Amino acid sequence: MLDQIANILHQACNVRGNDRLMVGVSGGPDSMSLLHILNHLGYKLIVGHFNHKLRPEASEEACIVDSFARQFGLSFISAEGDVPSYARENSMSIEEAARQLRYQFLFKQAQDNNADAVLVAHTADDQIETILLHLLRGSGLAGLTGMNYRTLPNPWSPRIPLVRPLLSTWRTEIDEYLLANNIKPITDQSNLETAYKRNRIRHELLPLLESYNPRIRNNLIHLGHILREDYSVLQDLVDTAWKSCLIEQTPGCLSFHRPGFIELPVAIQRYLLRRAVAYHLPGMVDVGFDAIERGRLFLLQDRASGQVNVLSGLWLIRNGDSFALTFNPADLPPKEFPSLAPRQIVTIIIPSRIEINNGWILEVELCSKSNLSEKQDNVTDYSYTVLMNLEELEQPLILRARKPGDRIQPLGMGGHSMKISDMMINLKLPERVRESYPLVCSGGQVIWIPGYRLSEIVRVKDESKAIVRLALFRESTT
Amino acid sequence: MLDQIANILHQACNVRGNDRLMVGVSGGPDSMSLLHILNHLGYKLIVGHFNHKLRPEASEEACIVDSFARQFGLSFISAEGDVPSYARENSMSIEEAARQLRYQFLFKQAQDNNADAVLVAHTADDQIETILLHLLRGSGLAGLTGMNYRTLPNPWSPRIPLVRPLLSTWRTEIDEYLLANNIKPITDQSNLETAYKRNRIRHELLPLLESYNPRIRNNLIHLGHILREDYSVLQDLVDTAWKSCLIEQTPGCLSFHRPGFIELPVAIQRYLLRRAVAYHLPGMVDVGFDAIERGRLFLLQDRASGQVNVLSGLWLIRNGDSFALTFNPADLPPKEFPSLAPRQIVTIIIPSRIEINNGWILEVELCSKSNLSEKQDNVTDYSYTVLMNLEELEQPLILRARKPGDRIQPLGMGGHSMKISDMMINLKLPERVRESYPLVCSGGQVIWIPGYRLSEIVRVKDESKAIVRLALFRESTT
């Protein structure tokens, strides 16, 4: 067992003989063994213990770990945290809060003490429980790979690796090691990580699976090994695809080249979208298959422009040959917004198709009552598409940029009128976009800010007989 | 449900409206629904029923399916088979034999009747049971992808696809459909495919998994969708790697370029080896992780030549910059065999290092008793390495090609002597290799055919004091 762990430390964990290692030690069997083994192998160690203060005996346990470390002449660092408060403030479970605080502590201490890595004592049993937890929760390939021997970057550091050298060691081996070396770990602690579901997996699911196949534990470890390498190959392809498709990356918006995207294999399309969602929602663990698939199929459709809500208010916006992911469409790069040429004023004939800058097109058509429902279906996907009551329009409609003093009575604001200039600031339209942004006017009044607001005056009512559909979109080359 | 299935038939199954479809119908709920749905959608159908004759009511069931087909004016073809005999002859389970005979019948009939596809009625429930079966059995990515909507080539045809349009339809939906359409399937049949393990998964494991996550069934279906696309990307990379690394492909031997292989990502190395094993063992379902990893790590080692038994007598043979997989090393391409230049005769000095054709090297050294165990360890991996008892050697040893009348007393044949020329035929050494094959001789006697036979005369005994180690190998450039 020692040879195997020494080998894993050297090869899979990439730990060097003279590295300083920060070891997380709870005092339980796994971490006490890890500490003992690392000390035996001659590594330079710092012992870190985080007191979650969730049980009365917690302080006593810190003393036990301290004296164990002292016995080997190792420096011992401990801290305590208010787990329940942290959980409340960050709306997370007690278990997740304890985990976050513990890792934050370990990595902070690792940095302050110039440690080269943080080591934790997850075993092969933890590994297969993790794989099964992910399978149950509904994971793709990533979850089924389990934990890595070495993770860098990790959520707590871009520079200090998180290392798990016991991932191939079974608890039964740990128990034998403890016995052989006369180590007395804290055994009666209600292990925080051993939450309800994990406990059920350990005591109920795994024994059942073993009754189907006695080698299931080894098979799951092998599965992890296989899938980790498979996943790594796929992620390399996603790196390449990301670089070749990315147009612009700002804190609020990612934009990509759509023709490049639709040429990618389905699997890589999915991973690229997952990565783009993770960019905006880094803490989001379970992004569902349906959300990703909804976005992906929307991008594959033969339609020019539009947007869908992928999840949690995150928009996927198509604009001709590009698409973007953003919480706020105003965060799109300026060139993604429609614009008119300086002093351009266009008289709108019904029906007509008007080309403006950058491939943007304004399509205007009359709808009969009979085909309205079909037309309205489209409207839900296209925020750049609106329906207007023909009877309220003063023709000809005019397409032009804003003028000083322009106002609009936005739909649903009870007829209250707002200045266009204030509105554009409120909508967070980028400054250089505002001056050339196309507005539709009727009788000198602004009745539509495409993509943002329609006027109350022209809204379609139940009794409206003739309806005009306006769509501003960009055509794609594919 | 009908819309969804019509859509799947069109898109995922690639079935055209005027295709002739051979439908496998057992008479159970799934296949009776499939037949009814396909007929309703207006496809041209042929009904195929295979009578496994494993139960007394089997013939009656054939009649039920026949009359159901007749009711729609469809042609009905049935056959019966002796499943137990087939199972015995091919050393397979009754279930597997039934499956093989059934598919052979369906594809034979499809071909004879010019059908464009064979359709079977596996449901979404079958799909998740299959995924879990593979997980339990110990699968990599391939098994977890489950079944495909369309499989071509398949084990029964290179040209006629196997199509499964109900893979997204749940049994509960089937039951509703049967009720709504007043279809009475054969329900009391002890479904052959529903073997013991599958039944346990259905009635024991899945309900338990649902108690962890009520959405587990959907999640497993999504997992299949995700992994199928992931797997497809990886297999495309394996195709490319295979083409770029393959040196020669004969019925008995595959040889590859090792420097190209070791540059591949670990995952692709594993898949390439799996595919090479499958080439030699097409019926082998469960090739273990350990077997593939043993072969792969052997190829990565910094050693010049040697061979390992991957599994079932299949050898992985390294020779300098190439490696080969074969059941019989004599099936290697001729250029992979060592050879002497015409009329080349070399006097062997101990120790020495002699270079012959094509980068092959004969290394000769004296071993002391003390380092023998270490040297002997090597011998197990190198069939081109032997130990000889120095006291029995008549020096100088000579390296030369065969001469008429050459004989050897092979080890373990009780001193029985054999003609070298006969021996080379028995060993299946390719004819053009034999004339130049290097032999080691002592006092005019052949004492070693490298890679094949050592002489009884020179074998190392317990009392042997001085030992000579001979190794014939090829150096690699990496």
Side-chain angles (χ1 to χ4, degrees):
Chain A
M1 183 175 100
L2 279 181
D3 282 354
Q4 190 201 20
I5 295 171
N7 202 26
I8 286 171
L9 277 163
H10 181 65
Q11 306 222 341
C13 301
N14 201 22
V15 167
R16 299 288 144 240
N18 55 356
D19 280 355
R20 280 169 78 82
L21 308 179
M22 164 67 67
V23 194
V25 180
S26 69
D30 304 342
S31 59
M32 292 288 257
S33 296
L34 174 61
L35 180 59
H36 193 272
I37 290 164
L38 291 170
N39 186 61
H40 180 83
L41 294 173
Y43 285 99
K44 285 184 277 180
L45 306 175
I46 309 166
V47 178
H49 175 84
F50 190 75
N51 181 351
H52 301 99
K53 292 177 69 183
L54 291 171
R55 288 167 302 111
E57 59 275 30
S59 302
E60 197 186 319
E61 287 169 11
C63 291
I64 294 171
V65 177
D66 186 8
S67 73
F68 189 71
R70 204 184 302 269
Q71 181 188 328
F72 300 115
L74 303 174
S75 45
F76 173 81
I77 302 170
S78 79
E80 18 178 82
D82 184 351
V83 176
S85 299
Y86 190 83
R88 238 183 346 265
E89 283 157 23
N90 296 279
S91 347
M92 45 176 70
S93 66
I94 291 285
E95 190 191 5
E96 179 59 19
R99 181 170 165 272
Q100 287 294 340
L101 286 172
R102 188 169 64 245
Y103 278 109
Q104 282 168 20
F105 157 74
L106 288 172
F107 276 91
K108 172 72 166 61
Q109 289 304 323
Q111 182 154 353
D112 292 352
N113 290 278
N114 291 316
D116 298 290
V118 168
L119 279 74
V120 290
H122 292 111
T123 62
D125 297 85
D126 292 318
Q127 178 74 304
I128 60 177
E129 287 158 21
T130 299
I131 290 174
L132 289 173
L133 265 174
H134 284 131
L135 182 76
L136 288 167
R137 201 172 65 194
S139 159
L141 187 53
L144 299 185
T145 63
M147 296 175 276
N148 289 303
Y149 288 116
R150 175 189 170 94
T151 312
L152 186 74
N154 54 63
W156 302 280
S157 174
R159 199 182 54 76
I160 302 172
L162 175 62
V163 168
R164 297 180 176 100
L166 299 189
L167 279 185
S168 295
T169 308
W170 297 97
R171 277 199 198 109
T172 52
E173 296 175 280
I174 297 278
D175 289 341
E176 284 168 24
Y177 185 84
L178 291 169
L179 202 66
N181 292 277
N182 198 26
I183 305 166
K184 305 228 175 337
I186 302 162
T187 48
D188 58 349
Q189 59 175 13
S190 61
N191 194 342
L192 263 177
E193 289 183 81
T194 316
Y196 175 67
K197 226 173 207 179
R198 209 175 256 277
N199 246 325
R200 277 189 70 192
I201 289 178
R202 190 176 303 170
H203 298 297
E204 182 186 51
L205 180 56
L206 266 166
L208 177 66
L209 295 180
E210 265 181 321
S211 78
Y212 287 82
N213 181 350
R215 289 184 49 75
I216 188 74
R217 290 171 193 266
N218 267 305
N219 288 349
L220 288 172
I221 290 289
H222 288 165
L223 181 66
H225 285 316
I226 293 170
L227 298 189
R228 250 186 319 278
E229 297 297 340
D230 288 353
Y231 187 68
S232 147
V233 168
L234 292 168
Q235 292 311 305
D236 285 349
L237 295 178
V238 182
D239 288 346
T240 308
W242 180 278
K243 279 176 204 141
S244 80
C245 292
L246 186 71
I247 296 172
E248 198 167 337
Q249 175 170 350
T250 64
C253 183
L254 287 171
S255 64
F256 298 94
H257 189 230
R258 182 174 162 271
F261 178 86
I262 63 180
E263 290 295 314
L264 296 171
V266 173
I268 307 300
Q269 292 177 346
R270 287 176 179 154
Y271 282 118
L272 190 142
L273 288 181
R274 283 197 173 271
R275 204 181 272 192
V277 169
Y279 176 85
H280 288 292
L281 293 162
M284 187 95 179
V285 185
D286 292 315
V287 177
F289 176 77
D290 291 329
I292 295 298
E293 218 44 11
R294 185 166 53 246
R296 192 178 74 81
L297 295 176
F298 171 67
L299 289 174
L300 297 192
Q301 281 166 19
D302 292 328
R303 49 166 66 167
S305 299
Q307 57 191 51
V308 284
N309 194 337
V310 179
L311 80 170
S312 310
L314 186 62
W315 289 94
L316 179 60
I317 302 173
R318 271 181 69 174
N319 248 340
D321 279 350
S322 74
F323 69 91
L325 265 112
T326 180
F327 281 107
N328 184 356
D331 281 340
L332 288 175
K335 64 171 176 290
E336 296 295 330
F337 289 85
S339 72
L340 293 168
R343 284 174 299 279
Q344 186 177 9
I345 296 176
V346 186
T347 300
I348 302 172
I349 302 190
I350 303 172
S352 64
R353 183 185 161 91
I354 299 156
E355 292 185 27
I356 58 174
N357 276 353
N358 275 328
W360 284 89
I361 288 164
L362 178 68
E363 213 174 56
V364 186
E365 54 175 353
L366 208 61
C367 299
S368 65
K369 274 274 180 193
S370 63
N371 67 0
L372 187 62
S373 70
E374 182 195 323
K375 295 285 179 185
Q376 253 172 340
D377 277 351
N378 280 348
V379 174
T380 58
D381 272 350
Y382 286 68
S383 81
Y384 284 86
T385 303
V386 287
L387 300 177
M388 296 179 182
N389 183 356
L390 179 66
E391 289 150 56
E392 298 296 337
L393 300 182
E394 196 168 309
Q395 294 202 51
L397 300 181
I398 299 290
L399 183 67
R400 61 160 173 85
R402 69 180 187 185
K403 284 185 196 167
D406 267 348
R407 302 184 78 89
I408 189 168
Q409 291 176 38
L411 204 63
M413 306 260 298
H416 183 70
S417 139
M418 293 184 72
K419 282 174 71 179
I420 293 288
S421 55
D422 291 347
M423 189 128 221
M424 284 184 163
I425 293 167
N426 289 346
L427 294 172
K428 299 200 177 73
L429 262 185
E431 202 173 339
R432 42 188 179 144
V433 167
R434 296 177 207 156
E435 285 302 326
S436 59
Y437 200 84
L439 304 171
V440 174
C441 305
S442 159
Q445 289 265 33
V446 176
I447 54 167
W448 188 32
I449 312 174
Y452 295 96
R453 293 288 187 273
L454 182 67
S455 165
E456 177 78 31
I457 300 168
V458 299
R459 83 180 158 88
V460 175
K461 296 166 200 145
D462 288 346
E463 63 272 23
S464 304
K465 288 188 189 82
I467 292 156
V468 183
R469 181 174 175 276
L470 287 92
L472 183 67
F473 60 90
R474 222 160 134 199
E475 279 193 320
S476 57
T477 57
T478 53
Chain B
M1 182 175 102
L2 279 182
D3 281 354
Q4 191 200 18
I5 294 170
N7 201 25
I8 286 171
L9 276 164
H10 182 67
Q11 307 224 337
C13 302
N14 202 21
V15 168
R16 301 286 143 242
N18 55 354
D19 279 356
R20 280 169 77 83
L21 309 179
M22 165 65 68
V23 195
V25 180
S26 70
D30 304 342
S31 60
M32 291 289 257
S33 295
L34 176 62
L35 179 59
H36 194 272
I37 290 165
L38 291 170
N39 186 61
H40 179 82
L41 293 173
Y43 286 99
K44 284 184 275 180
L45 306 175
I46 308 164
V47 178
H49 175 85
F50 189 75
N51 181 352
H52 301 100
K53 291 177 69 182
L54 291 170
R55 288 167 301 111
E57 60 274 31
S59 303
E60 196 186 320
E61 288 170 8
C63 291
I64 294 172
V65 177
D66 186 8
S67 73
F68 189 70
R70 206 182 301 267
Q71 179 188 329
F72 300 115
L74 303 173
S75 46
F76 172 82
I77 302 170
S78 78
E80 20 178 82
D82 184 351
V83 176
S85 300
Y86 190 83
R88 237 183 349 265
E89 284 157 21
N90 296 278
S91 346
M92 45 176 71
S93 66
I94 290 286
E95 190 191 6
E96 178 60 20
R99 180 171 165 271
Q100 287 293 343
L101 287 172
R102 186 169 64 248
Y103 279 109
Q104 282 168 20
F105 158 73
L106 288 173
F107 277 90
K108 171 74 166 58
Q109 290 303 324
Q111 181 154 355
D112 292 353
N113 290 278
N114 291 317
D116 298 290
V118 168
L119 278 72
V120 292
H122 293 110
T123 62
D125 298 86
D126 292 319
Q127 178 73 306
I128 60 178
E129 287 159 19
T130 299
I131 291 175
L132 288 173
L133 265 174
H134 283 132
L135 182 75
L136 288 166
R137 202 171 65 193
S139 157
L141 187 52
L144 300 185
T145 63
M147 296 175 277
N148 290 302
Y149 288 116
R150 176 190 169 95
T151 310
L152 186 74
N154 54 62
W156 302 280
S157 174
R159 197 183 56 74
I160 302 173
L162 175 61
V163 168
R164 298 179 175 100
L166 299 189
L167 280 185
S168 296
T169 308
W170 297 98
R171 276 198 200 110
T172 53
E173 297 174 278
I174 297 279
D175 289 342
E176 283 167 26
Y177 185 84
L178 291 170
L179 203 65
N181 292 278
N182 197 25
I183 305 166
K184 304 230 175 334
I186 302 163
T187 48
D188 58 351
Q189 62 176 8
S190 61
N191 192 341
L192 263 177
E193 289 184 78
T194 316
Y196 175 65
K197 229 176 206 175
R198 210 173 255 275
N199 246 326
R200 277 190 69 193
I201 288 179
R202 190 176 304 170
H203 299 298
E204 180 185 52
L205 180 56
L206 267 165
L208 177 66
L209 296 180
E210 265 180 324
S211 76
Y212 288 83
N213 182 351
R215 290 184 49 76
I216 189 74
R217 289 170 194 266
N218 268 305
N219 288 348
L220 288 173
I221 290 289
H222 288 165
L223 181 67
H225 285 316
I226 293 172
L227 298 189
R228 250 184 323 276
E229 296 297 339
D230 288 353
Y231 187 68
S232 147
V233 168
L234 291 168
Q235 293 311 304
D236 285 350
L237 295 178
V238 182
D239 287 348
T240 308
W242 180 279
K243 279 175 204 143
S244 81
C245 293
L246 186 71
I247 296 174
E248 198 166 336
Q249 175 171 348
T250 65
C253 183
L254 287 172
S255 64
F256 298 93
H257 188 230
R258 183 176 161 269
F261 177 85
I262 63 179
E263 291 295 316
L264 296 171
V266 172
I268 307 301
Q269 291 176 347
R270 286 177 180 153
Y271 283 117
L272 189 142
L273 288 181
R274 280 196 176 272
R275 203 180 274 192
V277 169
Y279 176 86
H280 288 293
L281 293 162
M284 187 96 179
V285 185
D286 292 316
V287 177
F289 176 79
D290 291 330
I292 296 297
E293 220 40 15
R294 185 165 54 245
R296 193 179 72 82
L297 295 175
F298 171 68
L299 290 174
L300 297 192
Q301 282 166 18
D302 291 327
R303 49 166 66 167
S305 299
Q307 59 191 52
V308 284
N309 194 335
V310 179
L311 79 170
S312 308
L314 184 62
W315 289 94
L316 178 61
I317 302 173
R318 271 182 68 174
N319 249 342
D321 279 349
S322 73
F323 68 92
L325 265 111
T326 179
F327 280 108
N328 184 356
D331 282 338
L332 288 176
K335 64 172 176 290
E336 297 293 328
F337 289 85
S339 71
L340 293 168
R343 284 174 302 279
Q344 185 178 12
I345 296 176
V346 185
T347 300
I348 301 171
I349 306 204
I350 305 174
S352 63
R353 182 183 162 90
I354 298 156
E355 291 184 29
I356 59 173
N357 277 353
N358 275 328
W360 284 89
I361 289 164
L362 178 68
E363 209 174 59
V364 186
E365 55 175 350
L366 208 59
C367 299
S368 66
K369 273 273 179 192
S370 63
N371 65 0
L372 187 60
S373 69
E374 180 196 326
K375 295 284 180 190
Q376 253 171 341
D377 276 352
N378 280 350
V379 173
T380 58
D381 273 349
Y382 286 67
S383 82
Y384 284 87
T385 302
V386 287
L387 300 177
M388 296 180 181
N389 183 356
L390 178 67
E391 289 150 58
E392 297 296 338
L393 301 183
E394 196 167 311
Q395 294 204 49
L397 300 181
I398 299 291
L399 183 67
R400 61 162 175 81
R402 71 180 187 182
K403 283 185 196 168
D406 267 347
R407 302 183 79 88
I408 188 168
Q409 292 177 38
L411 204 62
M413 307 261 295
H416 183 70
S417 141
M418 292 183 73
K419 281 173 76 178
I420 292 288
S421 55
D422 291 347
M423 189 124 222
M424 285 183 164
I425 292 166
N426 289 345
L427 294 172
K428 301 199 176 71
L429 262 185
E431 201 171 342
R432 41 188 181 145
V433 166
R434 296 177 206 157
E435 285 304 323
S436 59
Y437 201 84
L439 304 171
V440 173
C441 306
S442 159
Q445 287 266 30
V446 175
I447 54 168
W448 187 32
I449 312 174
Y452 296 94
R453 292 290 186 273
L454 181 67
S455 164
E456 177 79 31
I457 299 167
V458 299
R459 84 180 158 87
V460 174
K461 296 164 199 147
D462 288 345
E463 64 272 22
S464 305
K465 285 187 193 81
I467 291 156
V468 182
R469 179 174 174 278
L470 287 91
L472 184 68
F473 60 91
R474 222 159 134 199
E475 278 193 321
S476 58
T477 58
T478 52

